[in-house]
Structure formats: structure tokens, C-alpha cells
């Protein structure tokens, strides 16, 4: 049974959301975490760069975080979806969670983003093993191996060049039907030894874990042990728009140093905010959001049987 009222509603149960919920639990704020179970990196074989546990698997990371929340009795996890979110005139937030209304004094948005995937035969079997979207996360696994980069847009040359820290050779395949790159970008890639090919990628060759190449529509096969792609990543859902949060040019939620959005009482963390999209950063931003959210409630009446917060002092963040 969902609670009718909580101090904080965390929307999203990935690394950022579970980190925020952990700190809300430590401050003994009654918290509901609603998780749709659609974390961006679930297809990946490994999550890298986490202090003290490098590598781990995305599923193990989430399982351990959820288990850790069990020590905080005021935090509740719910598998489901928040489909609507609004703020009443009295300042309370009202969320529709799987058809039931839940009221909250604060909201933390950690809904993440969704990647546009390449249209490739065999992608489902290879994605997360030898096809990746994040150079910083999985680039080291391509050390001294041939890489093909797919994608579109002005950011693509920089994305391809980042892989030169590990891979060799790096080849960029540009689909004529996609937004391309200019002559200056082509020249810069050539200076760095990145070959640019024209063609439409249609299929992967080889078995998962033993990728051999990318087949193009004209019959050519470009050798590759790894494929990286960058087309677009869009915020998941429109809850931030429903609340009127300020967004940047990519539709990501702008926040201040305490992860507070332009809407008082609404915090955001993780990939749905601007900046590097890495699990360790999502965890840190989630912690900042959780602490700021919890301390903004200091002096407010406790809900759900939680101990009363201490008297208001200097607030950690506005709210």
C-alpha cells in the first residue's frame, strides 16, 4: 500500500535516486522512492570507476543500494511510475503514482535520460558487451582494439577523439541521412588519425563478446572489436516540464550547487541534469540533493511516525 503523504518523493531509483533516498533516510525524513526500473545502464556488463568497487555490475550496484536502504525505516521503495506531478496553492506536491495520489513536501527528480539507439541487426545481443554509448565508462575496455563510432551531430568528432585515449584504430562511419560534420571537423579528425567513412551501418558481425565488424548497406564491412555510438539522449518523462522547472537547450534540468531546481522544493540529480553523465557523479549529486532536501525540512512537522526534526537553524539550502 502506497503512503498517502510523505516528506520527500524521489522519482527514479537509479544510482542518483537511491543515493538521495539514503541521505533522506539518514535524516529520518519519511521518503517514497518510485522506480520504473528502466535505468540507462542495465544492459551494460560492468559499471566502472566506482571507488572501492571497480568494476561491479549495474544490477549488483542497485541491489546493494536497495539492501542498504533497509536500515532506514522511513524510506519506502515502490516499483511503478509517476505519471503526473503538480504543486498545489498550499505548496504541497501531488503525484499520481500508478493511479493513486501521493502528497509530498519535497520532490527529488532522478529520472535519467533515454539514448537513441542505432538501428543495427544484432544490437540487442551486443549492446553492453561490445557496443557502448559512454567512452569514459567503457573506453578502457577497447584498449589497442579497433573501434567504429556511429552517430550524428556536431558533438561527434569530439566523441570519437575521446576514444583515442585507448583504442586504435578509430573509424567514424557517417550516415548520409544523418546530420553531418563540417570540413574543419573532418580535417581535425584526419590530423588525429581518425578515418571518416560514408555509409549506412545495418548490422553487426561476429558473436557477442567477439565482435568482428560493422556491415554497411553497400555490402562493405568495417572491422571493429568495439562499437560506440552517439546520436541523442533525451530526458525520460516530462515531470520537470509539468512542474515548470527551468531546462537547458538539451531539455536537461538546471540546478544550483545544492541540486535545487528553479522550482522551490524540487531537487534534481543524475543524468537528467547538465554535466558529465557517470555513475559516480550521479551518486554524488544524489547525495547532495538528499542532504539539501532533508535539511530544507528542518523544523517542519514530521510525518508518518518519524521523530520530529530539530529546530530550524541555518538551512543547508533554500526550500
Amino acid at each position: 500500500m502506497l503512503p498517502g503523504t510523505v516528506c520527500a518523493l524521489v522519482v527514479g531509483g537509479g544510482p542518483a535516486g537511491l543515493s538521495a533516498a539514503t541521505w533522506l533516510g539518514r535524516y529520518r525524513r519519511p521518503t517514497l522512492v518510485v522506480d520504473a526500473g528502466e535505468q540507462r545502464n542495465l544492459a551494460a556488463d560492468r559499471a566502472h570507476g566506482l571507488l572501492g568497487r571497480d568494476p561491479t555490475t549495474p544490477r549488483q550496484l542497485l541491489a546493494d543500494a536497495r539492501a542498504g536502504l533497509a536500515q532506514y525505516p522511513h524510506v519506502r521503495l515502490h516499483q511503478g511510475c509517476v505519471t503526473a506531478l503538480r504543486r498545489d496553492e498550499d505548496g504541497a506536491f501531488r503525484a499520481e503514482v500508478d493511479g493513486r495520489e501521493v502528497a509530498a513536501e519535497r520532490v527529488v527528480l532522478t529520472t535519467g535520460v533515454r539514448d537513441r539507439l542505432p538501428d543495427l541487426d544484432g544490437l540487442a545481443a551486443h549492446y553492453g558487451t561490445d557496443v557502448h554509448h559512454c567512452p569514459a565508462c567503457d573506453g578502457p575496455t577497447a584498449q589497442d582494439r579497433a573501434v567504429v563510432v556511429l552517430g550524428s551531430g556536431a558533438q561527434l568528432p569530439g566523441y570519437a577523439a575521446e576514444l583515442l585515449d585507448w583504442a586504435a584504430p578509430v573509424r567514424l562511419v557517417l550516415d548520409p541521412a544523418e546530420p553531418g560534420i563540417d570540413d574543419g571537423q573532418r580535417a581535425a579528425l584526419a590530423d588525429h588519425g581518425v578515418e571518416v567513412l560514408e555509409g549506412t551501418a545495418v548490422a553487426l558481425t561476429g558473436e557477442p563478446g567477439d565482435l568482428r565488424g560493422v556491415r554497411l548497406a553497400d555490402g562493405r564491412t568495417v572491422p571493429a572489436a568495439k562499437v560506440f555510438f552517439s546520436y541523442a539522449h533525451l530526458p525520460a518523462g516530462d515531470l520537470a516540464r509539468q512542474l515548470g522547472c527551468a531546462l537547458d537547450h538539451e531539455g536537461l534540468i538546471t540546478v544550483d550547487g545544492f541540486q535545487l531546481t528553479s522550482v522551490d522544493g524540487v531537487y534534481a540529480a543524475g543524468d537528467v541534469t547538465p554535466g558529465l553523465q557517470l555513475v559516480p557523479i550521479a551518486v554524488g549529486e544524489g547525495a547532495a540533493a538528499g542532504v539539501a532536501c532533508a535539511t530544507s525540512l528542518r523544523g517542519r512537522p514530521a510525518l508518518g511516525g518519524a521523530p520530529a526534526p530539530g529546530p530550524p537553524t541555518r538551512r543547508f539550502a533554500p526550500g
Side-chain angles (χ1 to χ4, degrees), residues 108-123:
V108 183
L109 297 174
T110 64
T111 48
V113 298
R114 299 285 176 267
D115 291 288
R116 176 190 160 193
L117 303 179
D119 185 10
L120 293 173
D121 185 30
L123 176 65

Side-chain angles (χ1 to χ4, degrees), residues 87-199:
R87 189 172 197 175
D88 287 346
E89 293 181 0
D90 63 3
F93 296 96
R94 307 283 176 178
E96 184 174 325
V97 183
D98 296 333
R100 179 172 175 181
E101 185 175 273
V102 175
E105 293 193 60
R106 300 287 188 272
V107 172
V108 183
L109 297 174
T110 64
T111 48
V113 298
R114 299 285 176 267
D115 291 288
R116 176 190 160 193
L117 303 179
D119 185 10
L120 293 173
D121 185 30
L123 176 65
H126 287 271
Y127 188 32
T129 299
D130 37 35
V131 177
H132 312 281
H133 64 260
C134 178
C137 304
D138 296 292
T141 68
Q143 185 170 336
D144 301 323
R145 306 173 77 185
V147 161
V148 163
V149 175
L150 306 174
S152 65
Q155 87 291 342
L156 198 57
Y159 178 93
E162 185 175 353
L163 286 158
L164 293 170
D165 284 329
W166 306 283
V170 175
R171 298 182 176 95
L172 174 58
V173 175
L174 292 176
D175 189 332
E178 297 281 351
I181 60 176
D182 61 33
D183 291 341
Q185 291 173 315
R186 288 175 181 268
L189 288 170
D191 287 344
H192 287 84
V194 176
E195 183 181 3
V196 178
L197 305 173
E198 303 283 344

Side-chain angles (χ1 to χ4, degrees), residues 267-279:
Y267 300 80
D271 290 355
V272 78
T273 62
L276 289 174
Q277 296 179 340
L278 298 172
V279 172

Side-chain angles (χ1 to χ4, degrees), residues 15-319:
L18 295 177
S19 179
T22 296
W23 282 95
L24 283 158
R26 291 184 62 79
Y27 277 88
R28 300 191 291 184
R29 306 298 194 246
T31 299
L32 174 65
V33 182
V34 180
D35 178 29
E38 298 176 352
Q39 281 74 31
R40 182 186 190 187
N41 68 344
L42 285 181
D45 289 346
R46 296 286 186 272
H48 298 278
L50 285 156
L51 188 65
R53 52 186 313 164
D54 184 8
T56 185
T57 69
R59 294 184 187 278
Q60 188 62 55
L61 176 65
L62 293 178
D64 291 344
R66 291 166 183 154
L69 281 177
Q71 65 187 296
Y72 304 114
H74 305 300
V75 178
R76 184 168 180 178
L77 294 173
H78 174 75
Q79 191 76 28
C81 295
V82 178
T83 54
L85 192 53
R86 71 181 193 279
R87 189 172 197 175
D88 287 346
E89 293 181 0
D90 63 3
F93 296 96
R94 307 283 176 178
E96 184 174 325
V97 183
D98 296 333
R100 179 172 175 181
E101 185 175 273
V102 175
E105 293 193 60
R106 300 287 188 272
V107 172
V108 183
L109 297 174
T110 64
T111 48
V113 298
R114 299 285 176 267
D115 291 288
R116 176 190 160 193
L117 303 179
D119 185 10
L120 293 173
D121 185 30
L123 176 65
H126 287 271
Y127 188 32
T129 299
D130 37 35
V131 177
H132 312 281
H133 64 260
C134 178
C137 304
D138 296 292
T141 68
Q143 185 170 336
D144 301 323
R145 306 173 77 185
V147 161
V148 163
V149 175
L150 306 174
S152 65
Q155 87 291 342
L156 198 57
Y159 178 93
E162 185 175 353
L163 286 158
L164 293 170
D165 284 329
W166 306 283
V170 175
R171 298 182 176 95
L172 174 58
V173 175
L174 292 176
D175 189 332
E178 297 281 351
I181 60 176
D182 61 33
D183 291 341
Q185 291 173 315
R186 288 175 181 268
L189 288 170
D191 287 344
H192 287 84
V194 176
E195 183 181 3
V196 178
L197 305 173
E198 303 283 344
T200 301
V202 295
L204 302 170
T205 64
E207 298 299 317
D210 187 26
L211 184 68
R212 298 304 178 91
V214 178
R215 190 169 72 248
L216 306 184
D218 61 12
R220 289 177 293 164
T221 295
V222 184
K226 291 275 187 178
V227 170
F228 286 79
F229 66 88
S230 176
Y231 291 93
H233 51 263
L234 301 174
D238 67 345
L239 298 179
R241 292 185 186 276
Q242 291 182 30
L243 290 170
C245 297
L247 308 175
D248 72 0
H249 66 284
E250 293 184 299
L252 301 175
I253 307 170
T254 59
V255 294
D256 67 8
F258 300 113
Q259 305 301 129
L260 181 65
T261 73
S262 63
V263 176
D264 194 27
V266 179
Y267 300 80
D271 290 355
V272 78
T273 62
L276 289 174
Q277 296 179 340
L278 298 172
V279 172
I281 290 176
V283 172
E285 289 181 352
V291 172
C293 180
T295 56
S296 77
L297 290 162
R298 186 166 291 139
R300 300 289 288 267
L303 301 173
T313 55
R314 181 184 67 84
R315 288 186 173 180
F316 187 81

